[in-house]
Amino acid sequence: MSTTPALPDVVYFNLGRVWTMALNTLIEMTRQKVFYFMIVFALLMIGAASFFSIFSFGEEAQYITQLKFIKDTGLGAISVFGAIIAVVATAQLLPAELENRTIYTILAKPVHRLEFLLGKFVGVALLLAISVTLMGSLFLGVVFIKDQNLSAATYHETIEAAEGAVAGSPDMKPETKQKVLAEARTRAEQGAAEIHKTAGYQDIVKAMTTTLFKLWLVAAMTLMLSSFATSMVFTVVMSAMLYFSGHLVPVAQKFYATSKAPLGQLMAGVVNWFLPNLAAFDVADDLFAGDPLPWLKVLKILSYGLFYLLVTLTLAHLIFREREI
Amino acid sequence: MTPAIEIKGLTKRYRTGLRRETVLALDHLDLRVEPGEVYGLLGPNGSGKSTTLKLALGLIRATAGEAKIFGKPCASVVSRLHVGFLPENPYFYRFLTGAETLMFYGRLCGMSGAPLSKRVDELLQLVGLTNAASRPLAGYSKGMLQRIGLAQAMVHDPQLLLLDEPTAGVDPIGSKEIRDLIIRLRAMGKTVLLCSHLLTQVQDVCDRICILNQGRKVREGRVDDLLRDQKRLCITVESLPEAARAQIAEWVEDWGASVVSIENPQTTLESLFLDAVKAQQPPTPPNKP
Ligand SMILES: Nc1ncnc2c1ncn2[C@@H]1O[C@H](COP(=O)(O)OP(=O)(O)OP(=O)(O)O)[C@@H](O)[C@H]1O
Ligand SMILES: [Mg+2]
């Protein structure tokens, strides 16, 4: 009876195992009821949508402000909620594995540490993608309803005002009446179109795509920190700090360009070179300012994110590979 | 033949806390487990048994020395292809059911589809958890977790099983079932390395044992040999009057022998274990940082 197995020379990296780990991580997080935050987000969106209708003045400019406000709140909320999920959900992954010692049983199987780590990351990345899609759909829904209501309101109000004016001046010639009403119709259509344009569905999708990449990057940075951290609090605090400093990179860049003091230059340089510019992913501000956002620029931002993502994950792997369990 | 496990001069020094204190958990251990044998690793709490297993699985890095499994260095993933591991006090994903847990570990071992489902059913049957298969592990008792841990270790039908206290928390019937299972595994030609504090069970199932104390090997050998070569004799009597004891002692000394102790009988491995560990107790060099 042969009791010594014939073993190959190497076991290759296997995406199937990464996927198994990823799905397991995703199931773990969904069964921990992570998606409850969706209820809070939904309430926030409904709150933002009904905020203005309480004291609505019924002016076209006012309607556009309303829609912009909802868009700004929604995109901001998706970014903030997403960042919280990215940091908190990622920070507890490795500590939970170590505390429950499930990592022993996994790494005792023929599993590469890289497969384990990547599996954990892909699991979080999936969770973030689902979260952003859910929040995004809800958000798009609210914007769509608001867009329909407001454009209809603008349209009817403009027409009604014209009809009122026509009815209020009995000595108006019939041709003039026709002309006024036709003009009003054109204006009403233009107003409605203006509101549709403000809704800007394509821009919303673009903004959500860049936001998702930012969240993936934040999750990867958190994973990298927790690959050597011994406490979850440390990971969360450090990730939050990285998150905020990442958003300050443009400020540091400006400072770097103008500062004369060597220490200031050094600090700004460090921030500039070692931190990804997280503010680059926040395209909502540009959109709000009315700047166009072509797909090419979106693609540029995504490649920037991908580059930092790979660097961060490589670093995390190099640290985790050496870790005692 | 390539040994199933080969450990040479294995040393592990843990660094603890912020101060530069260290714990010498394992001190130049040499160990060789042949294929097809059931090997018992014994020792008091903190003697380095679990540390040895973790080193052999590449979970922690040795300070010195090396460990090989089927001839492959323990740091390589290849060495784990034919190993099943049951950690002490196993604890799994609470949100998965028993069947899902086994499916998960099976997939990690490259199994899938119908063969995997079939294997999972088989294992659930084997460890007596068929009825609890669709319940989340959050609701499992300690002994049930131990059983699912054993099933998980065997999912890919490995040639070598490393079991850290497999019967801890398991009821007497389950404990006997696990003992029988180990005997069956040996009959199938598998190799088992077993850590346990249940000496009667170790005595029953193990071919060879090693007793560790404070990270050092203090006894090793075939269970039969270790227990037989004693020059001592233990006579068990019942209702012997007090006066007769002195008389027997005198009589023994007349024959040139000496009475070591007159006591209630113990299981033989138990006394061997206690002797081995006690004899080693006083010389404890302080751990140098
Ligand atoms: N992660 C760790 N950090 C620091 N010291 C450790 C660590 N793990 C184990 N030790 C120490 O190493 C020594 C050996 O521990 P080990 O867990 O191997 O003992 P054991 O023989 O398995 O004991 P038990 O019978 O209680 O399971 C102990 O002194 C323990 O305190
Ligand atoms: Mg132990």
Side-chain angles (χ1 to χ4, degrees):
Chain A
M1 187 182 328
S2 164
T3 46
T4 312
L7 295 174
D9 286 333
V10 272
V11 173
Y12 291 106
F13 176 85
N14 181 300
L15 277 177
R17 282 194 291 265
V18 175
W19 189 241
T20 303
M21 279 306 306
L23 284 187
N24 181 66
T25 307
L26 183 64
I27 294 172
E28 176 183 8
M29 287 184 294
T30 43
R31 292 201 189 160
Q32 279 172 353
K33 319 232 163 32
V34 187
F35 288 118
Y36 274 160
F37 74 88
M38 281 299 301
I39 298 169
V40 182
F41 179 78
L43 289 177
L44 191 83
M45 280 319 301
I46 293 164
S50 47
F51 181 65
F52 271 99
S53 40
I54 303 167
F55 46 93
S56 175
F57 305 111
E59 265 176 43
E60 193 193 306
Q62 181 65 38
Y63 288 157
I64 286 179
T65 316
Q66 268 195 50
L67 208 51
K68 277 188 172 175
F69 172 76
I70 291 168
K71 269 178 76 178
D72 208 31
T73 314
L75 285 175
I78 289 175
S79 180
V80 169
F81 274 76
I84 293 172
I85 301 168
V87 170
V88 175
T90 315
Q92 56 95 42
L93 284 181
L94 294 185
E97 285 282 344
L98 290 167
E99 198 171 313
N100 300 339
R101 288 178 306 235
T102 36
I103 192 167
Y104 289 166
T105 49
I106 293 171
L107 293 181
K109 299 274 182 228
V111 173
H112 287 280
R113 287 201 178 190
L114 178 60
E115 291 165 344
F116 175 85
L117 194 71
L118 268 188
K120 286 279 157 193
F121 175 73
V122 174
V124 175
L126 285 176
L127 176 83
L128 289 171
I130 294 171
S131 304
V132 169
T133 309
L134 283 178
M135 287 193 286
S137 313
L138 200 86
F139 172 52
L140 280 173
V142 169
V143 170
F144 180 73
I145 291 170
K146 210 65 194 174
D147 173 18
Q148 294 298 310
N149 288 347
L150 294 182
S151 50
T154 304
Y155 189 84
H156 288 124
E157 275 160 24
T158 313
I159 302 262
E160 269 164 30
E163 278 171 358
V166 168
S169 32
D171 47 348
M172 198 182 267
K173 280 190 211 138
E175 308 92 82
T176 322
K177 278 183 188 175
Q178 284 301 323
K179 215 177 134 200
V180 167
L181 286 178
E183 262 173 29
R185 216 165 290 125
T186 319
R187 248 188 303 124
E189 268 157 20
Q190 273 168 358
E194 189 61 31
I195 286 177
H196 287 318
K197 208 180 130 212
T198 310
Y201 299 104
Q202 229 189 61
D203 286 347
I204 291 180
V205 172
K206 283 175 188 166
M208 285 191 318
T209 313
T210 57
T211 302
L212 181 59
F213 265 64
K214 179 173 88 172
L215 297 179
W216 284 349
L217 184 52
V218 170
M221 291 196 303
T222 310
L223 193 65
M224 191 265 285
L225 287 169
S226 77
S227 65
F228 63 85
T230 45
S231 111
M232 191 181 141
V233 177
F234 169 85
T235 311
V236 171
V237 171
M238 283 298 291
S239 305
M241 275 170 60
L242 275 186
Y243 180 80
F244 289 118
S245 4
H247 281 93
L248 290 178
V249 166
V251 181
Q253 276 168 345
K254 251 184 221 146
F255 188 75
Y256 186 47
T258 55
S259 170
K260 294 275 186 295
L263 188 70
Q265 280 207 345
L266 185 76
M267 286 302 293
V270 166
V271 171
N272 199 7
W273 282 104
F274 291 99
L275 277 179
N277 176 8
L278 293 182
F281 298 90
D282 295 336
V283 294
D285 294 345
D286 297 351
L287 292 177
F288 209 57
D291 294 346
L293 182 65
W295 276 107
L296 191 68
K297 190 175 171 204
V298 173
L299 223 58
K300 252 184 179 166
I301 295 173
L302 298 191
S303 346
Y304 177 77
L306 205 62
F307 168 74
Y308 265 102
L309 195 68
L310 290 179
V311 170
T312 315
L313 287 177
T314 307
L315 209 59
H317 166 60
L318 293 179
I319 300 168
F320 184 67
R321 199 176 55 175
E322 301 299 319
R323 180 161 185 169
E324 298 250 305
I325 288 165
Chain B
M1 198 173 353
T2 321
I5 304 175
E6 190 176 26
I7 286 173
K8 279 188 195 151
L10 201 61
T11 303
K12 178 65 190 177
R13 209 177 259 287
Y14 284 110
R15 264 164 242 298
T16 56
L18 293 173
R19 286 172 293 163
R20 267 190 248 116
E21 276 175 36
T22 60
V23 178
L24 184 60
L26 213 55
D27 190 3
H28 293 91
L29 179 71
D30 295 315
L31 211 81
R32 202 181 148 97
V33 179
E34 300 298 337
E37 120 177 293
V38 178
Y39 192 96
L41 201 53
L42 311 184
N45 295 133
S47 55
K49 304 182 297 292
S50 302
T51 302
T52 308
L53 295 192
K54 282 186 210 165
L55 284 166
L57 288 161
L59 294 172
I60 52 176
R61 206 169 289 270
T63 311
E66 58 163 11
K68 281 183 180 171
I69 289 183
F70 295 121
K72 304 283 180 188
C74 65
S76 68
V77 175
V78 180
S79 74
R80 271 168 263 142
L81 273 178
H82 260 288
V83 179
F85 174 51
L86 169 68
E88 56 185 338
N89 306 318
Y91 196 87
F92 302 98
Y93 295 107
R94 298 168 56 80
F95 56 88
L96 291 183
T97 68
E100 284 171 342
T101 303
L102 297 184
M103 296 291 278
F104 168 66
Y105 285 104
R107 286 198 197 99
L108 284 184
C109 294
M111 303 166 77
S112 61
L116 178 56
S117 316
K118 191 167 153 276
R119 179 73 183 148
V120 167
D121 289 344
E122 242 171 58
L123 284 168
L124 286 166
Q125 181 85 40
L126 186 70
V127 297
L129 285 176
T130 306
N131 290 330
S134 54
R135 270 160 49 193
L137 296 198
Y140 274 31
S141 70
K142 190 172 184 315
M144 290 164 85
L145 285 176
Q146 198 80 30
R147 287 161 188 253
I148 210 75
L150 200 60
Q152 161 277 129
M154 294 190 297
V155 69
H156 55 316
D157 196 24
Q159 285 298 331
L160 171 64
L161 280 158
L162 306 181
L163 309 177
D164 203 346
E165 302 183 27
T167 50
V170 179
D171 60 48
I173 301 167
S175 185
K176 188 178 172 303
E177 282 169 5
I178 291 177
R179 195 196 67 175
D180 294 345
L181 176 68
I182 294 173
I183 292 172
R184 239 181 306 150
L185 289 170
R186 179 178 46 194
M188 288 158 68
K190 312 270 184 207
T191 314
V192 180
L193 177 62
L194 174 73
C195 291
S196 180
H197 293 297
L198 296 180
L199 299 176
T200 35
Q201 198 174 57
V202 170
Q203 192 176 346
D204 279 355
V205 300
C206 291
D207 301 307
R208 284 199 304 146
I209 57 158
C210 164
I211 301 179
L212 291 181
N213 194 29
Q214 293 169 348
R216 262 167 277 169
K217 183 158 78 178
V218 292
R219 285 278 199 297
E220 188 188 23
R222 299 196 62 78
V223 178
D224 296 341
D225 298 345
L226 284 174
L227 297 180
R228 197 188 305 123
D229 81 359
Q230 289 179 317
K231 296 191 193 76
R232 296 175 180 191
L233 185 68
C234 175
I235 304 171
T236 308
V237 295
E238 212 174 49
S239 41
L240 183 73
E242 194 66 34
R245 286 197 185 184
Q247 221 172 323
I248 290 177
E250 258 174 51
W251 191 60
V252 165
E253 264 150 37
D254 283 349
W255 278 97
S258 59
V259 175
V260 177
S261 67
I262 298 181
E263 59 187 10
N264 295 327
Q266 288 174 313
T267 44
T268 37
L269 183 55
E270 200 169 332
S271 52
L272 174 83
F273 178 86
L274 291 175
D275 284 349
V277 172
K278 268 187 202 138
Q280 234 249 333
Q281 214 69 289
T284 319
N287 285 327
K288 277 167 254 143

